[in-house]
Amino acid sequence: MLRAVSPKVGERVISVHLATDDRQCSRIGMDVLREGGNAVDASVVAALCLEVVPASNTRWSQIDDHDASHLSVIDPQENAISMTSTVNGYFGAHVLSNDSTIQPPAPTSFIRPGKRPLSSMTPAIVLKFIVQRMKNLRENEGTREIVAVSDSRKRRTPLPSSRTNTDDNRFPTPKMGSVNNKARPFSAQHHQQPLCTRTHQIGALLLVAATFFFTSLLNRSFRPCASHFPAVDLLPNSWSSVQVTAGRDLLWPQRGYGPQLDLKIYVYDDREIDGLKALMRGRDGVIDPKACLKGQWGTQVKIHRLLLNSRFRTRKKDEADLFFVPTYTKCVRMMGGLNDKEINQTYVKVLSQMPYFRRSGGRDHIFVFPSGAGAHLFRSWATFINRSIILTPEGDRTDKKDTSAFNTWKDIIIPGNVEDGMTTNGPALVHPLPISKRKYLANYLGRAQGKAGRLKLIELSKKFPDKLECPELKFSGPEKLGRIDYFEHLRNAKFCLAPRGESSWTLRFYEAFFVECVPVILSDQVELPFQNVVDYTQISIKWPSTLIGPELLQYLESLPDKNIEGMISRGRQVRCLWAYASESASCSAMHGILWELQRKVRLFHQSTETFWLHNGSVVNRNLVEFSDWRPPMPLP
């Protein structure tokens, strides 16, 4: 607080103020006013200072503070400026609103009825002669209380006697002048040595500009899903859900995930591990990976290729957070490249050559099993990779196995592999029909396979052929249903039914979003991807498989088109999470998988075959240091 000069009777007194939440910035702004600057000059310099000198730091440094800031200025010409910066973001919240509402980036500051935001201020320009009392003011900025006020007064020519009265000690009503008017310098008796010169101010400006430039680069590098557009919340009344912006960017919630993706994943090469090539190309190495891109096993190839080109890939094992083991086992088995016994033996051979797998017991290693069989493709999975991270669309396999290979707490459900012609940004194979032009209430397109739920639907369609379409599909021969024909059938109903088949998951659930029909899940044991952040009650229906019958059609028929269109609209916003697009895409299945993998990262790794000594060295059971472990090694 700079001392104010008391006015004398008969003199007109103009108060000059500059208040910020940092005392040093307030003084720098006052220096500008003393040197002849106006309110605009002082506010610009003070604002730049506030971006460089955090109030909690009060020293020149890089920006490490994301709190709100405010400044108020009155210059000798009675021009007044009051300016508040935003919160929780470098140089602004990076949110552009289409209306007058506020879109804060942090849940603690979101607007709700009756709620007091975490970051709140009450800026004020005081026109009465109570400046000395301003040091008693406090503002609640974020989690601390701080205030900094600067004030100075300038005597001017005495007023005419006709205007001199007992009210001379009061400030006159301010008359706003042009901000272009230059202020006259303060008198020498009140002039203080400036704390910084013009050179310092120019240096501060250059420092802020450089910081802004490098911050923008960092934001592009580490926040691939950030956006400058209003976001659409997929989980109403909750701030822990994924959001997709109007610009189709993906915003992942910070709770449980962190503010940004920060992963290092090592991808094993088939040339460094003996046997890995056989799991990708078969025993003779003749299977072309391109042939494995189609069908439900395509995710094994797509995820591998996306990680090879990912900026989160590292080629140094010692700095990796996670390790990806590429295998195309389902495709290799289906094309005769390996039989079940060979697959089992080859997996064990591969794992015995991985020191890092042994060090952690496989906890930091990732495997993809893309079909309904899940990890059961590797018969000894329960012995060797029961602690590893398994990526699979299948969360249950109890119809054929005694136990499920999926563990809710360590494994990740991934979306099925939808036809690229429906998920890419290019021309789609088919386009959705308007609700009013759809012929059927619901449909099921698939084979019976002797499954109870599917057989019930086929019988139901015979009783209500005008409401439920269940054609007999042929996937081979001259009457084989082509992909375009399939999607044209699928789009011709308001609801797409997805019953359980050989396993609990079904590709029809994901396909429904791209023809824009509401998916109806008829699989009680189903597990869905990204359940931590997506509320499926807003975009789909799950109906008990034991109640497949006329009551199902009655319920679906009772839903008004307005509700159906609302669910379709919300599904349209989230379906980008089912598309295996490149990392350059603002929203994709790979983004979701990377966010989920980030939750699996551990600082410390150990297994039954891992030990450590007082100096931090990791050794095996024979006290051999980790760097000297040589394959083949006993598996934990």
Side-chain angles (χ1 to χ4, degrees):
M1 169 83 73
L2 299 179
R3 292 181 61 84
V5 179
S6 302
K8 292 183 179 180
V9 177
E11 290 183 320
R12 183 183 181 189
V13 178
I14 298 298
S15 177
V16 179
H17 302 278
L18 193 148
T20 73
D21 59 5
D22 183 83
R23 192 173 300 278
Q24 180 173 337
C25 295
S26 298
R27 289 175 176 171
I28 290 175
M30 289 298 294
D31 289 339
V32 174
L33 292 175
R34 291 190 186 97
E35 294 178 10
N38 58 27
V40 174
D41 301 326
S43 64
V44 169
V45 172
L48 293 176
C49 174
L50 288 172
E51 294 291 358
V52 178
V53 184
S56 59
N57 215 359
T58 62
R59 61 182 175 84
W60 298 100
S61 65
Q62 292 183 342
I63 297 175
D64 59 0
D65 193 328
H66 297 207
D67 294 329
S69 295
H70 180 83
L71 62 87
S72 299
V73 185
I74 302 177
D75 67 11
Q77 277 67 47
E78 302 175 12
N79 298 310
I81 291 179
S82 179
M83 184 172 67
T84 301
S85 71
T86 184
V87 297
N88 298 328
Y90 298 113
F91 292 92
H94 293 184
V95 174
L96 176 63
S97 177
N98 292 327
D99 52 33
S100 60
T101 59
I102 300 173
Q103 296 280 354
T108 51
S109 293
F110 281 173
I111 298 173
R112 293 180 182 172
K115 176 187 173 184
R116 179 180 180 182
L118 173 67
S119 182
S120 59
M121 343 181 83
T122 307
I125 295 177
V126 182
L127 300 178
K128 300 295 182 180
F129 187 30
I130 56 172
V131 178
Q132 292 296 335
R133 299 181 183 179
M134 289 182 67
K135 59 186 177 181
N136 296 322
L137 296 177
R138 292 293 183 266
E139 62 179 344
N140 183 5
E141 182 206 346
T143 57
R144 64 179 184 271
E145 293 183 353
I146 187 169
V147 65
V149 179
S150 294
D151 171 58
S152 183
R153 307 258 172 93
K154 166 69 177 165
R155 292 191 185 92
R156 287 189 176 178
T157 305
L159 300 174
S161 58
S162 60
R163 297 188 59 183
T164 304
N165 51 43
T166 57
D167 292 329
D168 284 339
N169 288 340
R170 301 171 59 191
F171 287 107
T173 303
K175 300 178 181 179
M176 303 303 294
S178 169
V179 294
N180 294 321
N181 292 339
K182 288 294 182 180
R184 287 177 286 180
F186 286 97
S187 58
Q189 64 185 30
H190 299 300
H191 180 73
Q192 298 184 9
Q193 184 66 26
L195 294 180
C196 70
T197 65
R198 237 359 136 174
T199 302
H200 293 125
Q201 294 164 3
I202 293 173
L205 178 61
L206 293 176
L207 178 60
V208 171
T211 306
F212 175 76
F213 174 74
F214 288 112
T215 301
S216 299
L217 291 180
L218 289 174
N219 280 344
R220 293 192 191 101
S221 299
F222 296 111
R223 294 298 299 273
C225 301
S227 172
H228 299 270
F229 299 95
V232 180
D233 197 349
L234 298 177
L235 187 58
N237 302 319
S238 173
W239 308 112
S240 60
S241 67
V242 67
Q243 298 178 12
V244 180
T245 70
R248 308 308 303 153
D249 288 341
L250 183 69
L251 302 178
W252 214 260
Q254 292 191 19
R255 191 180 74 174
Y257 292 91
Q260 63 190 23
L261 279 172
D262 186 15
L263 276 174
K264 291 183 178 180
I265 301 176
Y266 181 84
V267 181
Y268 284 104
D269 191 283
D270 60 0
R271 294 167 293 186
E272 69 175 298
I273 304 292
D274 185 23
L276 195 56
K277 185 176 181 180
L279 291 175
M280 300 174 65
R281 296 176 178 267
R283 70 178 74 85
D284 301 321
V286 297
I287 296 178
D288 187 352
K290 293 181 180 179
C292 298
L293 279 171
K294 299 291 184 180
Q296 58 181 321
W297 53 73
T299 50
Q300 281 191 318
V301 183
K302 289 183 176 180
I303 292 175
H304 179 209
R305 290 184 174 182
L306 290 170
L307 285 177
L308 286 176
N309 295 310
S310 174
R311 67 177 174 277
F312 300 109
R313 178 191 178 190
T314 178
R315 289 172 172 80
K316 298 179 181 179
K317 294 180 181 178
D318 57 351
E319 69 176 20
D321 299 310
L322 299 168
F323 298 81
F324 181 79
V325 183
T327 63
Y328 306 157
T329 314
K330 176 65 177 179
C331 178
V332 167
R333 181 179 180 272
M334 294 296 292
M335 300 184 71
L338 291 174
N339 59 39
D340 289 343
K341 183 178 180 180
E342 290 172 323
I343 289 173
N344 199 75
Q345 293 173 342
T346 307
Y347 263 114
V348 175
K349 178 181 179 181
V350 166
L351 297 178
S352 67
Q353 300 174 68
M354 297 178 173
Y356 285 87
F357 183 90
R358 187 192 182 197
R359 182 192 66 171
S360 67
R363 291 174 176 86
D364 54 358
H365 280 58
I366 307 165
F367 297 84
V368 181
F369 293 98
S371 68
H376 290 289
L377 285 171
F378 175 23
R379 290 182 175 180
S380 299
W381 71 266
T383 302
F384 297 105
I385 62 171
N386 63 324
R387 301 177 184 87
S388 299
I389 302 168
I390 295 175
L391 308 185
T392 177
E394 179 53 63
D396 178 76
R397 187 65 177 176
T398 53
D399 61 328
K400 285 192 172 183
K401 305 293 180 180
D402 294 334
T403 58
S404 171
F406 177 76
N407 184 309
T408 305
W409 303 109
K410 70 177 183 66
D411 300 328
I412 298 173
I413 292 291
I414 60 176
N417 183 35
V418 180
E419 176 73 30
D420 288 342
M422 296 298 294
T423 62
T424 57
N425 293 327
L429 292 177
V430 300
H431 296 281
L433 293 174
I435 290 291
S436 60
K437 294 185 178 180
R438 302 191 186 189
K439 183 178 180 180
Y440 298 100
L441 173 68
N443 63 27
Y444 163 63
L445 302 180
R447 294 170 292 176
Q449 295 181 306
K451 303 303 176 183
R454 298 185 175 194
L455 291 172
K456 288 181 182 179
L457 290 176
I458 293 174
E459 290 300 318
L460 193 62
S461 68
K462 295 177 181 178
K463 296 178 181 179
F464 303 94
D466 57 330
K467 297 180 180 180
L468 178 60
E469 180 192 23
C470 289
E472 183 179 353
L473 301 184
K474 296 182 180 180
F475 295 92
S476 61
E479 298 181 7
K480 176 182 177 181
L481 189 69
R483 298 305 296 166
I484 294 179
D485 294 332
Y486 172 81
F487 284 111
E488 285 181 344
H489 274 279
L490 201 63
R491 69 174 181 170
N492 208 19
K494 298 178 181 179
F495 300 94
C496 293
L497 308 184
R500 181 186 179 108
E502 288 290 341
S503 59
S504 63
W505 88 282
T506 170
L507 190 60
R508 267 170 292 280
F509 172 80
Y510 304 102
E511 292 172 336
F513 289 94
F514 294 96
V515 296
E516 298 189 358
C517 60
V518 177
V520 180
I521 303 170
L522 302 173
S523 178
D524 301 347
Q525 292 82 18
V526 70
E527 292 283 346
L528 300 171
F530 316 133
Q531 294 180 68
N532 293 325
V533 295
V534 176
D535 184 356
Y536 285 92
T537 66
Q538 302 296 310
I539 58 177
S540 64
I541 295 171
K542 184 181 180 183
W543 185 266
S545 61
T546 54
L547 296 180
I548 297 177
E551 58 265 52
L552 170 59
L553 298 182
Q554 291 171 6
Y555 167 73
L556 297 178
E557 199 169 19
S558 69
L559 299 180
D561 287 351
K562 181 179 180 181
N563 289 11
I564 297 172
E565 290 173 348
M567 298 183 75
I568 290 174
S569 176
R570 291 188 290 272
R572 189 183 301 123
Q573 296 159 9
V574 74
R575 69 187 182 190
C576 55
L577 287 171
W578 319 147
Y580 286 90
S582 67
E583 204 168 278
S584 61
S586 57
C587 172
S588 71
M590 201 61 207
H591 280 140
I593 292 171
L594 288 171
W595 278 111
E596 293 297 333
L597 286 174
Q598 181 153 289
R599 303 185 76 191
K600 312 298 181 181
V601 174
R602 299 185 179 193
L603 173 65
F604 182 74
H605 297 282
Q606 65 94 24
S607 71
T608 56
E609 296 297 325
T610 303
F611 306 87
W612 55 92
L613 305 179
H614 74 284
N615 59 359
S617 61
V618 176
V619 298
N620 64 11
R621 194 173 293 276
N622 297 320
L623 301 184
V624 177
E625 289 196 13
F626 174 71
S627 59
D628 295 326
W629 291 6
R630 296 292 180 267
M633 295 164 290
L635 294 173

